[in-house]
Amino acid sequence: MTPESAPQPLVLRREAFGGILFDPLDGTYLELDPEGFEVVRGWLVDGRAPATPEEQSFVESVHREMPTLAAGSRRVRARIEVEAMAPTQHATVLASPTLVDLQVTNRCTVGCPQCYASSVPDGEHMAFEDAARILHELAAAGVCQIAIGGGEPLLHPQIVEIIELAYDLGIVPNVTTTGLALTPRVLETMARCCGAVALSLEDVGEGFAKRRKTGAGFFEASLEKLRAHKIRTVFQVTLSAENLPRLPAIVDYCLAVPDLYGVIFLAYKAVGRGDGYDTQLSAVHPGELYPWLREAFLRLSGHTKVGYDCCITPGIAGIDVELGFTDLDLLEGCSAARTSVGISANLEVVPCTFTTHLPLGNLAQRSFMDVWHGSPSTGFRTALDTQGDARTETCSPCRLRNSCLGGCPVWDLVRCTTRPPELDG
Amino acid sequence: MRIIRIRRGFTTNSSGANEFLPTGGVRPTVSPAAPGPAVLTTVQPWGDAPSMNAPPSNATTIGVVSVVVAGAFLVIPAIRLLRKKKEKEPHDDDA
C-alpha cells in the first residue's frame, strides 16, 4: 500500500435526492441535486466534459468546495444503480449509510464507571474474518467512513489489519481510544490510514481520574504520541448535568492544545455501566443549557473544528445563526438508521451504539444491505417519522423542524432550546 | 443544478454523521467563473448494486422477529409521547 501515490478514491453515490460526492482526503461531503449529480457523474465517471456554460460553472463550483480534486489524478468508486429507499415524510434516509460505527471488541481493561458499552477485561473481540467480510460489504455499499470503537479497539489483536483493510477498500477509518496500546506500529498505521483519532475528555484536573481510570497523565502522554505522529486528534466531550459546570475548564484545556483537529460534544446516555452514574442533559433547563454550549462553541470555533453528536441537536438550535451560517437546515437530528448505523462486536446491527436493545439484524445470518433495507430498520425509521408527525404542532414554529426531527427517538437526552427570538430570524 | 449540502471533516463519533458544524450552507452553484479541467483519470466502479428485493436468509424467522421488533419501535415513542402529553397538560391549564 502506498497511500502517498494512490490516495483513496472519491465516493460517488446516487441517492433519491440526487447523489453524494465524498473525498476521503479531507472528509469533504457534498450532496448534489439530480441534475448536478448527473453532471458530476458524466465528468468523473464517463470523462465527459461539461456541455454547457452552466454545467461548466457547476463543475467549477464543485472544484471550489472540494479543492482536493485538483491534487492530481484520482480514482472514483461509483455506485450509480441504486434503488432509492422508500420516501419518509420527515427524515431523509440514504440508500446505504455514509457512516458506520464498528465496535471491533468489547474488551477493555480500564473499567471507567460511565462506560456505555459496559466493556470488561474479558470482553469478546470481533473475529478478524468477520470484520474483513463486513468491511467488504460496507465498501460495496458505498460507506464513506467508519468509526472504530469498542471496548478499547486497540486491544484487538488485528487492529492494524482492520484499519489497513478499511483504508485499502476506500473507507476512511477513524478510531476512538483511551490511549491503551498506542504502540509504534499502531501509531504508524493510524498516521498513514486514519482520518481522525478521538480521545474522550469528560473533565480536567482532579475530576479527570474520577471518570477515566487511566488518569490525566496517561491522557496527556497519549495526546503527545498522537501529536508526534501528526495524527488528526479529536476530543470527545460527553456532557451530563454533573459535568456541565466543568465545561469552561474543559474548553480552557482544549484551547491550550495546539493543532487540535476538533472538539465534539456528545449527550450523555444512561446506558450500560454508565446508567445511573450521571444525569442526562434533559434534567437541565434548556434556558440554562444553551448558554453553556453557546459559550463553549463560540470560544472554540476560532481554535478548532467544533462538532456535536446528533443527539444534542435540540439543545443547540440557534447556534448556527450565532456562528454565522446561512443555511437554515444545517443542524440535523438523529442519524440512526438514516445515514449511519452501528455494528456491535457480536455482529448485531443496531441503530446506534447506544441502542443495543433495538437490534436490526445480525450479520452472521444476513447481509449488511439486507439488514439496512429490512423491516426492523424500516420500523425504526417509521417511529422516527411518527415522532415527527406527533411533534408537528409543538415544533411548527421552529425553522429546524424538518432537520432536528424532534430529538432522540429512544432516550430523553436533551430538552429543546428556548431560543432568544432574535435567533429565529 | 446545485450543491444541496456540504459537510467537512472526519467523523469519529458513533452518532455524528453530521459531526462538525459546517463552515457554509446551501450555496448557489452557478457561477460566472470559467471551468477548470477535469483531473480525474481512472474509473473504478463498484459494478451492479445488490438487489434491494432479495429475500433475507431465514426469511420466515426473521420476518416474525422483525414484526415484533418493528412493533416495539412504534410503541416506545408512542409511550414517550403519551407521557409528555400528560406532563404538558398541567402546563397548558396554567396557560
Side-chain angles (χ1 to χ4, degrees), chain A residues 95-370:
Chain A
S96 60
T98 55
L99 169 70
V100 171
D101 190 295
L102 188 64
Q103 184 193 30
V104 296
T105 183
N106 197 32
R107 183 172 302 183
C108 184
T109 56
V110 181
C112 299
Q114 77 278 16
C115 178
Y116 71 85
S118 303
S119 298
V120 289
D122 60 349
E124 293 292 323
H125 298 309
M126 179 184 288
F128 176 73
E129 293 72 20
D130 287 327
R133 175 173 54 82
I134 290 169
L135 287 172
H136 278 91
E137 286 196 69
L138 300 185
V143 170
C144 301
Q145 306 190 58
I146 56 172
I148 299 174
E152 170 48 65
L154 302 189
L155 293 180
H156 193 291
Q158 281 96 29
I159 188 63
V160 165
E161 288 78 6
I162 290 172
I163 292 172
E164 287 183 333
L165 178 59
Y167 183 93
D168 288 343
L169 290 170
I171 302 169
V172 174
N174 305 286
V175 176
T176 296
T177 177
T178 60
L180 288 179
L182 273 176
T183 64
R185 181 169 178 244
V186 166
L187 286 162
E188 185 278 328
T189 304
M190 285 177 161
R192 183 161 41 89
C193 301
C194 284
V197 174
L199 298 171
S200 295
L201 180 69
E202 288 86 17
D203 202 347
V204 293
E206 294 180 359
F208 184 98
K210 294 178 182 175
R211 295 174 175 275
R212 293 284 160 186
K213 296 300 184 186
T214 47
F218 184 84
F219 177 91
E220 298 203 340
S222 301
L223 174 61
E224 285 310 307
K225 288 179 183 177
L226 296 172
R227 291 190 64 234
H229 284 77
K230 300 187 186 309
I231 295 169
R232 300 179 195 88
T233 303
V234 172
F235 289 163
Q236 292 187 159
V237 181
T238 300
L239 292 172
S240 65
E242 281 77 10
N243 73 344
L244 192 61
R246 297 291 296 154
L247 191 49
I250 294 171
V251 170
D252 286 341
Y253 181 86
C254 296
L255 289 173
V257 177
D259 308 321
L260 196 58
Y261 183 70
V263 179
I264 310 298
F265 294 97
L266 303 94
Y268 160 76
K269 291 92 176 167
V271 295
R273 194 159 61 232
D275 187 2
Y277 184 77
D278 271 336
T279 307
Q280 292 177 163
L281 289 173
S282 53
V284 181
H285 189 282
E288 298 176 12
L289 174 64
Y290 183 79
W292 285 111
L293 296 174
R294 173 188 179 277
E295 179 73 7
F297 279 41
L298 289 175
R299 291 181 66 201
L300 286 167
S301 61
H303 178 68
T304 187
K305 292 175 180 289
V306 182
Y308 63 101
D309 73 348
C310 56
C311 323
I312 214 168
T313 297
I316 60 170
I319 198 71
D320 52 332
V321 176
E322 294 227 41
L323 293 180
F325 303 138
T326 57
D327 180 20
L328 299 181
D329 195 28
L330 289 177
L331 294 178
E332 292 190 49
C334 179
S335 65
R338 297 194 306 114
T339 65
S340 67
V341 79
I343 300 175
S344 300
N346 64 0
L347 311 187
E348 202 71 62
V349 180
V350 290
C352 71
T353 48
F354 306 103
T355 52
T356 53
H357 63 299
L358 299 174
L360 303 177
N362 194 290
L363 297 180
Q365 287 92 38
R366 303 171 63 185
S367 73
F368 178 75
M369 288 304 286
D370 180 52

